[in-house]
Amino acid sequence: MRILGIETSCDETAAAVVETTDDLARPWAVRSSVISSQADIHREWGGVVPEIASRQHVADICGVVERALSDAGVRAADIDAVAVTQGPGLVGSLLVGVSFAKAFAAARALPVVAVHHLAGHIESLVLEHGELPLPAVVLVVSGGHTSLYFVPSRGVYRLVGQTRDDAAGEAYDKVAKLLGLGYPGGPAVDALAETGRDDVVSLPLPRFTHADRNEAPADLKVDEFPPSVRKMAEFSFSGLKSAAVRHLEKHGPGNVADFCASFQRVVVGTLVDRLFAVAGALGAKSVGIVGGVSANRRLRRDVLARGQRERMPVFVPPVSLSTDNAAMIAAAGLRRMAMQGASPLEFNAQATLPMASDRS
Ligand code: KG4
Ligand code: ZN
């Protein structure tokens, strides 16, 4: 089967062609993956402007899909199915991809499969490394999410816990903004931190303290994991962000590289500690880190080193598959098609969306 993947959940317009293989251990092969980033447009505003993002998706989607087909050396008639991100994300942006996917499929009587964006991020690991040793625990860490998923079997993703306030990538972006490093801030903080000392500025560890600050999300099944494990999977980054603001107001940035390195030590330390704590508690045979922040150099180094020390296989996608792309959506679409078949055409874009395996 050859599937066209479409991703427009935030500020990247992406399309990809992915095929199934005969190899059960490496079930998918990427034929093309095209990403048109709007980062240059949103940089001027210091963050993603939803209205501008959806208009830009409309302008770019046809060209991006045409390019994905031509890079793969196929025509529209050679496509067997379409996978598209249904959510979560910016609803106006998601709508462009969903409408395009439905129209493309309707014109050729093809099946469409609706994909959860985070299922896509998780399957980016399989695209790169082949099927994971299961059960696995996967940390999804991006601009919008910091969530830990338990993967007991192929295509099943169970939310163990997530951030109660800011996502880790959001904290990176806010600190970068405070330091005048531009948008998106993660890569800039990452690069500067490489040249700084990480023990110069003392910032508190982000710890979730107020049990009732936010409602638990709909797909968090409170009885599925013991409370002690759910607690390990709860993140909070707003305290760290406020501490960074206070420090900068009081002392100024000082050496910006040292500040970035110190901030990053706290974020990366928390992410890696929680990931391994949950993996240990749930008897995982492997761990993974996916999403935009998994491009971070220190995070990659630290998680791989920790895996070696603890003899735990660690998987991280290459940078090209870390940030938003459509190859991962195509892969998750193939998985879902094989397990549950196509989606009924009534599905719509959803800004918040529980994971499929928690809906059924
Ligand atoms: O997965 P992604 O492309 O989009 C979302 O679904 O959010 O992630 C984007 C996020 C941004 O917050 C960006 O600053 C962060 O990932 N990011 C990084 C790095 N590269 C991207 N954060 C830290 N270090 C990086 N190298
Ligand atoms: Zn993402």
Side-chain angles (χ1 to χ4, degrees):
M1 167 160 302
R2 186 181 289 130
I3 199 163
L4 171 68
I6 310 273
E7 153 65 34
T8 62
S9 67
C10 188
D11 64 341
E12 263 99 24
T13 316
V17 176
V18 174
E19 289 172 2
T20 48
T21 71
D22 295 330
D23 182 353
L24 284 179
R26 297 193 73 91
W28 310 307
V30 181
R31 291 289 163 237
S32 67
S33 180
V34 177
I35 303 168
S36 172
S37 173
Q38 305 174 4
D40 285 341
I41 296 164
H42 298 289
R43 185 167 291 128
E44 200 179 321
W45 307 91
V48 177
V49 183
E51 180 62 26
I52 296 177
S54 32
R55 282 165 194 256
Q56 197 61 38
H57 285 305
V58 171
D60 290 343
I61 185 85
C62 292
V64 166
V65 170
E66 274 168 13
R67 181 68 192 267
L69 294 174
S70 72
D71 281 4
V74 300
R75 293 162 304 137
D78 301 321
I79 297 293
D80 304 311
V82 184
V84 63
T85 307
Q86 180 185 9
L90 299 170
V91 76
S93 291
L94 289 162
L95 263 174
V96 179
V98 168
S99 311
F100 183 95
K102 285 186 182 179
F104 185 98
R108 292 167 187 80
L110 299 178
V112 187
V113 60
V115 171
H116 192 286
H117 183 75
L118 301 192
H121 274 300
I122 293 170
E123 297 297 356
S124 72
L125 291 173
V126 179
L127 261 183
E128 179 64 17
H129 302 285
E131 298 289 1
L132 308 181
L134 298 177
V137 171
V138 181
L139 171 66
V140 184
V141 63
S142 69
H145 304 273
T146 307
S147 308
L148 271 168
Y149 280 92
F150 181 59
V151 184
S153 56
R154 292 174 186 175
V156 178
Y157 325 100
R158 301 281 184 213
L159 182 64
V160 188
Q162 63 185 5
T163 182
R164 287 302 184 105
D165 42 59
D166 296 350
E170 212 176 335
Y172 266 97
D173 292 338
K174 282 179 184 165
V175 162
K177 203 169 176 177
L178 289 170
L179 295 170
L181 299 176
Y183 168 87
V189 173
D190 180 1
L192 271 167
E194 289 288 296
T195 65
R197 281 181 47 193
D198 69 5
D199 56 354
V200 176
V201 183
S202 147
L203 296 165
L205 273 178
R207 195 163 283 136
F208 180 64
T209 48
H210 309 290
D212 57 353
R213 192 183 302 164
N214 274 326
E215 284 282 312
D219 49 346
L220 196 64
K221 290 200 171 152
V222 286
D223 53 351
E224 185 155 6
F225 300 102
S228 58
V229 176
R230 282 191 279 122
K231 196 146 188 62
M232 286 174 199
E234 259 177 10
F235 299 90
S236 169
F237 291 103
S238 77
L240 175 67
K241 183 192 66 193
S242 310
V245 173
R246 278 199 304 277
H247 181 93
L248 291 172
E249 279 170 2
K250 226 167 155 183
H251 308 287
N255 180 319
V256 178
D258 290 346
F259 189 88
C260 290
S262 302
F263 165 80
Q264 188 158 275
R265 176 174 54 85
V266 180
V267 177
V268 169
T270 305
L271 295 175
V272 174
D273 283 351
R274 301 285 172 102
L275 172 62
F276 276 83
V278 171
L282 296 179
K285 294 208 175 98
S286 65
V287 299
I289 303 192
V290 299
V293 181
S294 72
N296 186 270
R297 279 168 275 190
R298 176 156 186 183
L299 180 56
R300 283 170 175 262
R301 275 198 306 271
D302 286 7
V303 74
L304 289 169
R306 178 80 172 261
Q308 269 192 341
R309 273 207 310 278
E310 301 199 7
R311 296 180 198 287
M312 173 72 84
V314 173
F315 299 97
V316 187
V319 173
S320 59
L321 288 175
S322 294
T323 45
D324 288 348
N325 65 87
M328 68 185 194
I329 301 303
L334 285 169
R335 179 84 84 194
R336 186 146 193 222
M337 282 275 278
M339 291 174 67
Q340 298 171 30
S343 305
L345 268 183
E346 298 81 61
F347 80 87
N348 211 344
Q350 266 179 253
T352 56
L353 180 69
M355 197 59 106
S357 52
D358 290 324
R359 268 180 289 163
S360 53

